Amino acid sequence: MHARSLDEILKASPVVPVMVIEQLADAVPLAQALVAGGIRVLEITLRSEAALAAMAAIMGEVPEAIVGAGTVTSVEQLAQVEALGVEFALSPGLTTGLLRAAQDMGLHYIPAIATASDIMLGMEHGYQRFKLFPASVLGAGQLLQAFNGPFPDVRFCPTGGLTMDNFAEVLALPNVQCVGGSWLTPKALVQRKDWPAITRLAQQTVTAQLAQQTV
Ligand code: 3PG
């Protein structure tokens, strides 16, 4: 049983940091720094050796965090993160194997799309929420406006190339439910373990997000 629906998760923080955690020791303080700044929904990518242990550590020690696994590219990885107990998972693309496996597992899953055919394949399997990746390369603004015609009920989470300066205008698009990116966890700040600076970045992001909502 899901404690929260996918929509509830994404409403909790519509801006999702895409995190690559190289050092396990950084996982908990980094998550705490983001949570302290008002960002609770975290995508921990499977791009580092420490990723699975980092997810487990955050789930164990930072109860306010809502942990999702990112960069899931195989059914084996999906099964691994599901067994770990993550609340949701995301992929940079979609395959029928992953679409089916996530449903069989009853795991909240956000596959990514880049074309109308990808959306149609996802819809055939019952999905209505997709990541759009890589957003800046695809031209998220114009592309999502175009997708809103044939797919008015579909909602997107663009990621890839978004920054503090441009995420709010992408979040303002009518069919965008959340956005993600690595700008919230810059490598240099993580290497210096400058957690207060990460909290400030999270606060700035939340402020920009709220300002956009009130426009
Ligand atoms: C992702 O997996 O969503 C992206 O790699 C994040 O892209 P960014 O590093 O350009 O924010």
Side-chain angles (χ1 to χ4, degrees), residues 90-125:
L90 311 97
S91 293
L94 82 177
T95 70
T96 49
L98 279 163
L99 294 171
R100 287 197 188 125
Q103 275 172 336
D104 290 347
M105 291 172 196
L107 178 65
H108 291 317
Y109 178 56
I110 309 180
I113 62 89
T115 66
S117 299
D118 293 341
I119 297 172
M120 288 161 61
L121 178 63
M123 287 172 65
E124 257 179 27
H125 290 80

PDB file of all heavy atoms in Angstrom, residues 90-125:
ATOM      1  N   LEU A  90      12.251   6.914 -10.994  1.00  0.00           N
ATOM      2  CA  LEU A  90      12.207   7.644 -12.267  1.00  0.00           C
ATOM      3  C   LEU A  90      13.250   7.072 -13.212  1.00  0.00           C
ATOM      4  O   LEU A  90      14.257   6.521 -12.776  1.00  0.00           O
ATOM      5  CB  LEU A  90      12.537   9.134 -12.077  1.00  0.00           C
ATOM      6  CG  LEU A  90      11.818   9.891 -10.981  1.00  0.00           C
ATOM      7  CD1 LEU A  90      12.674   9.962  -9.729  1.00  0.00           C
ATOM      8  CD2 LEU A  90      11.455  11.287 -11.445  1.00  0.00           C
ATOM      9  N   SER A  91      12.984   7.224 -14.504  1.00  0.00           N
ATOM     10  CA  SER A  91      13.943   6.791 -15.519  1.00  0.00           C
ATOM     11  C   SER A  91      14.184   7.930 -16.490  1.00  0.00           C
ATOM     12  O   SER A  91      13.332   8.801 -16.658  1.00  0.00           O
ATOM     13  CB  SER A  91      13.381   5.599 -16.309  1.00  0.00           C
ATOM     14  OG  SER A  91      13.271   4.459 -15.493  1.00  0.00           O
ATOM     15  N   PRO A  92      15.333   7.902 -17.188  1.00  0.00           N
ATOM     16  CA  PRO A  92      15.582   8.922 -18.214  1.00  0.00           C
ATOM     17  C   PRO A  92      14.877   8.622 -19.534  1.00  0.00           C
ATOM     18  O   PRO A  92      14.953   9.411 -20.479  1.00  0.00           O
ATOM     19  CB  PRO A  92      17.104   8.882 -18.375  1.00  0.00           C
ATOM     20  CG  PRO A  92      17.510   7.524 -17.909  1.00  0.00           C
ATOM     21  CD  PRO A  92      16.501   7.069 -16.895  1.00  0.00           C
ATOM     22  N   GLY A  93      14.192   7.473 -19.623  1.00  0.00           N
ATOM     23  CA  GLY A  93      13.447   7.099 -20.828  1.00  0.00           C
ATOM     24  C   GLY A  93      12.351   6.139 -20.433  1.00  0.00           C
ATOM     25  O   GLY A  93      11.963   6.095 -19.256  1.00  0.00           O
ATOM     26  N   LEU A  94      11.839   5.358 -21.410  1.00  0.00           N
ATOM     27  CA  LEU A  94      10.850   4.347 -21.043  1.00  0.00           C
ATOM     28  C   LEU A  94      11.012   3.094 -21.887  1.00  0.00           C
ATOM     29  O   LEU A  94      11.451   3.167 -23.036  1.00  0.00           O
ATOM     30  CB  LEU A  94       9.415   4.898 -21.113  1.00  0.00           C
ATOM     31  CG  LEU A  94       8.635   5.000 -22.416  1.00  0.00           C
ATOM     32  CD1 LEU A  94       7.236   5.504 -22.155  1.00  0.00           C
ATOM     33  CD2 LEU A  94       9.326   5.860 -23.430  1.00  0.00           C
ATOM     34  N   THR A  95      10.715   1.951 -21.257  1.00  0.00           N
ATOM     35  CA  THR A  95      10.694   0.672 -21.980  1.00  0.00           C
ATOM     36  C   THR A  95       9.427  -0.051 -21.531  1.00  0.00           C
ATOM     37  O   THR A  95       8.937   0.187 -20.418  1.00  0.00           O
ATOM     38  CB  THR A  95      11.906  -0.230 -21.629  1.00  0.00           C
ATOM     39  OG1 THR A  95      11.757  -0.704 -20.280  1.00  0.00           O
ATOM     40  CG2 THR A  95      13.236   0.503 -21.778  1.00  0.00           C
ATOM     41  N   THR A  96       8.920  -0.931 -22.380  1.00  0.00           N
ATOM     42  CA  THR A  96       7.712  -1.657 -21.972  1.00  0.00           C
ATOM     43  C   THR A  96       8.007  -2.511 -20.743  1.00  0.00           C
ATOM     44  O   THR A  96       7.161  -2.667 -19.865  1.00  0.00           O
ATOM     45  CB  THR A  96       7.171  -2.548 -23.110  1.00  0.00           C
ATOM     46  OG1 THR A  96       8.251  -3.301 -23.631  1.00  0.00           O
ATOM     47  CG2 THR A  96       6.560  -1.739 -24.215  1.00  0.00           C
ATOM     48  N   GLY A  97       9.226  -3.053 -20.655  1.00  0.00           N
ATOM     49  CA  GLY A  97       9.594  -3.875 -19.500  1.00  0.00           C
ATOM     50  C   GLY A  97       9.473  -3.098 -18.204  1.00  0.00           C
ATOM     51  O   GLY A  97       8.886  -3.572 -17.226  1.00  0.00           O
ATOM     52  N   LEU A  98      10.004  -1.880 -18.192  1.00  0.00           N
ATOM     53  CA  LEU A  98       9.948  -1.067 -16.973  1.00  0.00           C
ATOM     54  C   LEU A  98       8.524  -0.603 -16.674  1.00  0.00           C
ATOM     55  O   LEU A  98       8.097  -0.591 -15.517  1.00  0.00           O
ATOM     56  CB  LEU A  98      10.882   0.138 -17.101  1.00  0.00           C
ATOM     57  CG  LEU A  98      12.359  -0.163 -16.818  1.00  0.00           C
ATOM     58  CD1 LEU A  98      13.264   0.933 -17.356  1.00  0.00           C
ATOM     59  CD2 LEU A  98      12.581  -0.342 -15.316  1.00  0.00           C
ATOM     60  N   LEU A  99       7.784  -0.220 -17.711  1.00  0.00           N
ATOM     61  CA  LEU A  99       6.401   0.243 -17.504  1.00  0.00           C
ATOM     62  C   LEU A  99       5.583  -0.858 -16.835  1.00  0.00           C
ATOM     63  O   LEU A  99       4.825  -0.611 -15.892  1.00  0.00           O
ATOM     64  CB  LEU A  99       5.760   0.647 -18.835  1.00  0.00           C
ATOM     65  CG  LEU A  99       6.350   1.867 -19.559  1.00  0.00           C
ATOM     66  CD1 LEU A  99       5.765   1.999 -20.956  1.00  0.00           C
ATOM     67  CD2 LEU A  99       6.110   3.153 -18.763  1.00  0.00           C
ATOM     68  N   ARG A 100       5.758  -2.081 -17.320  1.00  0.00           N
ATOM     69  CA  ARG A 100       4.992  -3.205 -16.765  1.00  0.00           C
ATOM     70  C   ARG A 100       5.494  -3.582 -15.377  1.00  0.00           C
ATOM     71  O   ARG A 100       4.700  -3.840 -14.478  1.00  0.00           O
ATOM     72  CB  ARG A 100       5.118  -4.433 -17.684  1.00  0.00           C
ATOM     73  CG  ARG A 100       4.337  -4.270 -18.952  1.00  0.00           C
ATOM     74  CD  ARG A 100       4.129  -5.623 -19.623  1.00  0.00           C
ATOM     75  NE  ARG A 100       3.545  -5.392 -20.940  1.00  0.00           N
ATOM     76  CZ  ARG A 100       4.059  -5.853 -22.072  1.00  0.00           C
ATOM     77  NH1 ARG A 100       5.161  -6.567 -22.062  1.00  0.00           N
ATOM     78  NH2 ARG A 100       3.470  -5.588 -23.210  1.00  0.00           N
ATOM     79  N   ALA A 101       6.807  -3.622 -15.225  1.00  0.00           N
ATOM     80  CA  ALA A 101       7.372  -4.074 -13.937  1.00  0.00           C
ATOM     81  C   ALA A 101       6.942  -3.152 -12.800  1.00  0.00           C
ATOM     82  O   ALA A 101       6.587  -3.616 -11.716  1.00  0.00           O
ATOM     83  CB  ALA A 101       8.891  -4.141 -14.029  1.00  0.00           C
ATOM     84  N   ALA A 102       6.955  -1.831 -13.042  1.00  0.00           N
ATOM     85  CA  ALA A 102       6.577  -0.893 -11.980  1.00  0.00           C
ATOM     86  C   ALA A 102       5.123  -1.125 -11.580  1.00  0.00           C
ATOM     87  O   ALA A 102       4.773  -1.074 -10.392  1.00  0.00           O
ATOM     88  CB  ALA A 102       6.795   0.546 -12.442  1.00  0.00           C
ATOM     89  N   GLN A 103       4.280  -1.390 -12.573  1.00  0.00           N
ATOM     90  CA  GLN A 103       2.868  -1.654 -12.248  1.00  0.00           C
ATOM     91  C   GLN A 103       2.723  -2.953 -11.465  1.00  0.00           C
ATOM     92  O   GLN A 103       1.985  -3.009 -10.483  1.00  0.00           O
ATOM     93  CB  GLN A 103       2.036  -1.719 -13.526  1.00  0.00           C
ATOM     94  CG  GLN A 103       1.617  -0.333 -13.959  1.00  0.00           C
ATOM     95  CD  GLN A 103       0.952  -0.325 -15.307  1.00  0.00           C
ATOM     96  OE1 GLN A 103       1.171  -1.229 -16.125  1.00  0.00           O
ATOM     97  NE2 GLN A 103       0.167   0.688 -15.567  1.00  0.00           N
ATOM     98  N   ASP A 104       3.450  -3.978 -11.880  1.00  0.00           N
ATOM     99  CA  ASP A 104       3.370  -5.264 -11.164  1.00  0.00           C
ATOM    100  C   ASP A 104       3.830  -5.100  -9.714  1.00  0.00           C
ATOM    101  O   ASP A 104       3.306  -5.732  -8.812  1.00  0.00           O
ATOM    102  CB  ASP A 104       4.252  -6.318 -11.849  1.00  0.00           C
ATOM    103  CG  ASP A 104       3.681  -6.740 -13.201  1.00  0.00           C
ATOM    104  OD1 ASP A 104       2.507  -6.411 -13.479  1.00  0.00           O
ATOM    105  OD2 ASP A 104       4.418  -7.378 -13.981  1.00  0.00           O
ATOM    106  N   MET A 105       4.837  -4.239  -9.516  1.00  0.00           N
ATOM    107  CA  MET A 105       5.360  -4.034  -8.158  1.00  0.00           C
ATOM    108  C   MET A 105       4.479  -3.100  -7.338  1.00  0.00           C
ATOM    109  O   MET A 105       4.634  -2.998  -6.130  1.00  0.00           O
ATOM    110  CB  MET A 105       6.759  -3.386  -8.219  1.00  0.00           C
ATOM    111  CG  MET A 105       7.831  -4.267  -8.759  1.00  0.00           C
ATOM    112  SD  MET A 105       9.346  -3.281  -8.998  1.00  0.00           S
ATOM    113  CE  MET A 105      10.275  -4.370 -10.049  1.00  0.00           C
ATOM    114  N   GLY A 106       3.601  -2.348  -8.020  1.00  0.00           N
ATOM    115  CA  GLY A 106       2.790  -1.348  -7.320  1.00  0.00           C
ATOM    116  C   GLY A 106       3.645  -0.177  -6.863  1.00  0.00           C
ATOM    117  O   GLY A 106       3.369   0.454  -5.838  1.00  0.00           O
ATOM    118  N   LEU A 107       4.703   0.129  -7.632  1.00  0.00           N
ATOM    119  CA  LEU A 107       5.619   1.217  -7.254  1.00  0.00           C
ATOM    120  C   LEU A 107       5.278   2.471  -8.064  1.00  0.00           C
ATOM    121  O   LEU A 107       5.072   2.384  -9.285  1.00  0.00           O
ATOM    122  CB  LEU A 107       7.057   0.777  -7.571  1.00  0.00           C
ATOM    123  CG  LEU A 107       8.175   1.778  -7.289  1.00  0.00           C
ATOM    124  CD1 LEU A 107       8.286   2.077  -5.788  1.00  0.00           C
ATOM    125  CD2 LEU A 107       9.517   1.226  -7.799  1.00  0.00           C
ATOM    126  N   HIS A 108       5.223   3.640  -7.396  1.00  0.00           N
ATOM    127  CA  HIS A 108       5.046   4.896  -8.129  1.00  0.00           C
ATOM    128  C   HIS A 108       6.231   5.060  -9.071  1.00  0.00           C
ATOM    129  O   HIS A 108       7.388   5.003  -8.633  1.00  0.00           O
ATOM    130  CB  HIS A 108       5.038   6.092  -7.177  1.00  0.00           C
ATOM    131  CG  HIS A 108       3.842   6.172  -6.295  1.00  0.00           C
ATOM    132  ND1 HIS A 108       2.561   5.938  -6.742  1.00  0.00           N
ATOM    133  CD2 HIS A 108       3.715   6.482  -4.984  1.00  0.00           C
ATOM    134  CE1 HIS A 108       1.713   6.097  -5.744  1.00  0.00           C
ATOM    135  NE2 HIS A 108       2.388   6.424  -4.660  1.00  0.00           N
ATOM    136  N   TYR A 109       5.945   5.329 -10.325  1.00  0.00           N
ATOM    137  CA  TYR A 109       7.026   5.324 -11.316  1.00  0.00           C
ATOM    138  C   TYR A 109       6.795   6.439 -12.336  1.00  0.00           C
ATOM    139  O   TYR A 109       5.689   6.615 -12.840  1.00  0.00           O
ATOM    140  CB  TYR A 109       7.041   3.953 -12.010  1.00  0.00           C
ATOM    141  CG  TYR A 109       8.070   3.821 -13.100  1.00  0.00           C
ATOM    142  CD1 TYR A 109       9.423   4.058 -12.832  1.00  0.00           C
ATOM    143  CD2 TYR A 109       7.707   3.457 -14.390  1.00  0.00           C
ATOM    144  CE1 TYR A 109      10.369   3.938 -13.835  1.00  0.00           C
ATOM    145  CE2 TYR A 109       8.644   3.326 -15.392  1.00  0.00           C
ATOM    146  CZ  TYR A 109       9.987   3.576 -15.110  1.00  0.00           C
ATOM    147  OH  TYR A 109      10.922   3.469 -16.098  1.00  0.00           O
ATOM    148  N   ILE A 110       7.849   7.205 -12.593  1.00  0.00           N
ATOM    149  CA  ILE A 110       7.771   8.276 -13.581  1.00  0.00           C
ATOM    150  C   ILE A 110       8.791   7.991 -14.685  1.00  0.00           C
ATOM    151  O   ILE A 110       9.985   8.265 -14.529  1.00  0.00           O
ATOM    152  CB  ILE A 110       8.055   9.663 -12.949  1.00  0.00           C
ATOM    153  CG1 ILE A 110       7.196   9.886 -11.707  1.00  0.00           C
ATOM    154  CG2 ILE A 110       7.820  10.765 -13.973  1.00  0.00           C
ATOM    155  CD1 ILE A 110       7.410  11.235 -11.027  1.00  0.00           C
ATOM    156  N   PRO A 111       8.320   7.426 -15.797  1.00  0.00           N
ATOM    157  CA  PRO A 111       9.228   7.217 -16.926  1.00  0.00           C
ATOM    158  C   PRO A 111       9.419   8.545 -17.661  1.00  0.00           C
ATOM    159  O   PRO A 111       8.643   9.476 -17.450  1.00  0.00           O
ATOM    160  CB  PRO A 111       8.463   6.225 -17.806  1.00  0.00           C
ATOM    161  CG  PRO A 111       7.013   6.456 -17.487  1.00  0.00           C
ATOM    162  CD  PRO A 111       6.947   6.992 -16.075  1.00  0.00           C
ATOM    163  N   ALA A 112      10.429   8.630 -18.496  1.00  0.00           N
ATOM    164  CA  ALA A 112      10.634   9.876 -19.238  1.00  0.00           C
ATOM    165  C   ALA A 112      10.248   9.706 -20.701  1.00  0.00           C
ATOM    166  O   ALA A 112      10.335   8.610 -21.270  1.00  0.00           O
ATOM    167  CB  ALA A 112      12.091  10.319 -19.143  1.00  0.00           C
ATOM    168  N   ILE A 113       9.829  10.825 -21.281  1.00  0.00           N
ATOM    169  CA  ILE A 113       9.460  10.841 -22.699  1.00  0.00           C
ATOM    170  C   ILE A 113      10.230  11.964 -23.386  1.00  0.00           C
ATOM    171  O   ILE A 113      10.706  12.903 -22.744  1.00  0.00           O
ATOM    172  CB  ILE A 113       7.948  11.059 -22.902  1.00  0.00           C
ATOM    173  CG1 ILE A 113       7.492  12.426 -22.329  1.00  0.00           C
ATOM    174  CG2 ILE A 113       7.143   9.960 -22.234  1.00  0.00           C
ATOM    175  CD1 ILE A 113       7.555  13.563 -23.258  1.00  0.00           C
ATOM    176  N   ALA A 114      10.340  11.825 -24.714  1.00  0.00           N
ATOM    177  CA  ALA A 114      10.916  12.916 -25.503  1.00  0.00           C
ATOM    178  C   ALA A 114      10.080  13.181 -26.747  1.00  0.00           C
ATOM    179  O   ALA A 114      10.268  14.181 -27.429  1.00  0.00           O
ATOM    180  CB  ALA A 114      12.354  12.586 -25.890  1.00  0.00           C
ATOM    181  N   THR A 115       9.144  12.253 -27.059  1.00  0.00           N
ATOM    182  CA  THR A 115       8.348  12.386 -28.286  1.00  0.00           C
ATOM    183  C   THR A 115       6.884  12.027 -27.999  1.00  0.00           C
ATOM    184  O   THR A 115       6.570  11.418 -26.969  1.00  0.00           O
ATOM    185  CB  THR A 115       8.830  11.390 -29.371  1.00  0.00           C
ATOM    186  OG1 THR A 115       8.544  10.059 -28.899  1.00  0.00           O
ATOM    187  CG2 THR A 115      10.312  11.520 -29.656  1.00  0.00           C
ATOM    188  N   ALA A 116       6.015  12.358 -28.973  1.00  0.00           N
ATOM    189  CA  ALA A 116       4.593  11.999 -28.865  1.00  0.00           C
ATOM    190  C   ALA A 116       4.427  10.481 -28.822  1.00  0.00           C
ATOM    191  O   ALA A 116       3.571   9.955 -28.109  1.00  0.00           O
ATOM    192  CB  ALA A 116       3.810  12.598 -30.037  1.00  0.00           C
ATOM    193  N   SER A 117       5.260   9.767 -29.567  1.00  0.00           N
ATOM    194  CA  SER A 117       5.152   8.296 -29.564  1.00  0.00           C
ATOM    195  C   SER A 117       5.476   7.730 -28.188  1.00  0.00           C
ATOM    196  O   SER A 117       4.836   6.777 -27.737  1.00  0.00           O
ATOM    197  CB  SER A 117       6.110   7.689 -30.600  1.00  0.00           C
ATOM    198  OG  SER A 117       5.784   8.150 -31.877  1.00  0.00           O
ATOM    199  N   ASP A 118       6.475   8.310 -27.515  1.00  0.00           N
ATOM    200  CA  ASP A 118       6.797   7.863 -26.152  1.00  0.00           C
ATOM    201  C   ASP A 118       5.581   8.044 -25.242  1.00  0.00           C
ATOM    202  O   ASP A 118       5.251   7.173 -24.440  1.00  0.00           O
ATOM    203  CB  ASP A 118       7.945   8.690 -25.553  1.00  0.00           C
ATOM    204  CG  ASP A 118       9.276   8.474 -26.248  1.00  0.00           C
ATOM    205  OD1 ASP A 118       9.435   7.466 -26.946  1.00  0.00           O
ATOM    206  OD2 ASP A 118      10.163   9.343 -26.062  1.00  0.00           O
ATOM    207  N   ILE A 119       4.926   9.211 -25.366  1.00  0.00           N
ATOM    208  CA  ILE A 119       3.749   9.480 -24.516  1.00  0.00           C
ATOM    209  C   ILE A 119       2.668   8.436 -24.795  1.00  0.00           C
ATOM    210  O   ILE A 119       2.056   7.887 -23.871  1.00  0.00           O
ATOM    211  CB  ILE A 119       3.191  10.897 -24.781  1.00  0.00           C
ATOM    212  CG1 ILE A 119       4.229  11.963 -24.421  1.00  0.00           C
ATOM    213  CG2 ILE A 119       1.903  11.131 -23.984  1.00  0.00           C
ATOM    214  CD1 ILE A 119       3.831  13.374 -24.820  1.00  0.00           C
ATOM    215  N   MET A 120       2.461   8.155 -26.083  1.00  0.00           N
ATOM    216  CA  MET A 120       1.411   7.192 -26.444  1.00  0.00           C
ATOM    217  C   MET A 120       1.728   5.796 -25.916  1.00  0.00           C
ATOM    218  O   MET A 120       0.842   5.077 -25.452  1.00  0.00           O
ATOM    219  CB  MET A 120       1.204   7.200 -27.960  1.00  0.00           C
ATOM    220  CG  MET A 120       0.512   8.479 -28.411  1.00  0.00           C
ATOM    221  SD  MET A 120       0.695   8.844 -30.164  1.00  0.00           S
ATOM    222  CE  MET A 120      -0.065   7.433 -30.900  1.00  0.00           C
ATOM    223  N   LEU A 121       2.996   5.420 -25.956  1.00  0.00           N
ATOM    224  CA  LEU A 121       3.393   4.120 -25.417  1.00  0.00           C
ATOM    225  C   LEU A 121       3.131   4.078 -23.902  1.00  0.00           C
ATOM    226  O   LEU A 121       2.581   3.104 -23.378  1.00  0.00           O
ATOM    227  CB  LEU A 121       4.880   3.856 -25.706  1.00  0.00           C
ATOM    228  CG  LEU A 121       5.447   2.552 -25.164  1.00  0.00           C
ATOM    229  CD1 LEU A 121       4.759   1.345 -25.814  1.00  0.00           C
ATOM    230  CD2 LEU A 121       6.952   2.480 -25.388  1.00  0.00           C
ATOM    231  N   GLY A 122       3.489   5.154 -23.222  1.00  0.00           N
ATOM    232  CA  GLY A 122       3.246   5.216 -21.783  1.00  0.00           C
ATOM    233  C   GLY A 122       1.759   5.165 -21.477  1.00  0.00           C
ATOM    234  O   GLY A 122       1.318   4.452 -20.561  1.00  0.00           O
ATOM    235  N   MET A 123       0.964   5.921 -22.245  1.00  0.00           N
ATOM    236  CA  MET A 123      -0.488   5.936 -22.014  1.00  0.00           C
ATOM    237  C   MET A 123      -1.101   4.552 -22.244  1.00  0.00           C
ATOM    238  O   MET A 123      -2.015   4.152 -21.538  1.00  0.00           O
ATOM    239  CB  MET A 123      -1.149   6.991 -22.913  1.00  0.00           C
ATOM    240  CG  MET A 123      -0.881   8.405 -22.447  1.00  0.00           C
ATOM    241  SD  MET A 123      -1.454   9.649 -23.621  1.00  0.00           S
ATOM    242  CE  MET A 123      -3.212   9.396 -23.580  1.00  0.00           C
ATOM    243  N   GLU A 124      -0.575   3.841 -23.240  1.00  0.00           N
ATOM    244  CA  GLU A 124      -1.065   2.480 -23.495  1.00  0.00           C
ATOM    245  C   GLU A 124      -0.926   1.600 -22.267  1.00  0.00           C
ATOM    246  O   GLU A 124      -1.686   0.662 -22.060  1.00  0.00           O
ATOM    247  CB  GLU A 124      -0.236   1.836 -24.624  1.00  0.00           C
ATOM    248  CG  GLU A 124      -0.944   1.807 -25.941  1.00  0.00           C
ATOM    249  CD  GLU A 124      -0.090   1.176 -27.035  1.00  0.00           C
ATOM    250  OE1 GLU A 124       0.791   0.339 -26.761  1.00  0.00           O
ATOM    251  OE2 GLU A 124      -0.317   1.557 -28.187  1.00  0.00           O
ATOM    252  N   HIS A 125       0.075   1.923 -21.440  1.00  0.00           N
ATOM    253  CA  HIS A 125       0.297   1.152 -20.206  1.00  0.00           C
ATOM    254  C   HIS A 125      -0.333   1.823 -18.987  1.00  0.00           C
ATOM    255  O   HIS A 125      -0.055   1.449 -17.850  1.00  0.00           O
ATOM    256  CB  HIS A 125       1.799   0.956 -19.973  1.00  0.00           C
ATOM    257  CG  HIS A 125       2.417   0.010 -20.958  1.00  0.00           C
ATOM    258  ND1 HIS A 125       2.781   0.386 -22.237  1.00  0.00           N
ATOM    259  CD2 HIS A 125       2.686  -1.304 -20.864  1.00  0.00           C
ATOM    260  CE1 HIS A 125       3.273  -0.656 -22.866  1.00  0.00           C
ATOM    261  NE2 HIS A 125       3.224  -1.694 -22.074  1.00  0.00           N
TER     262      HIS A 125
END
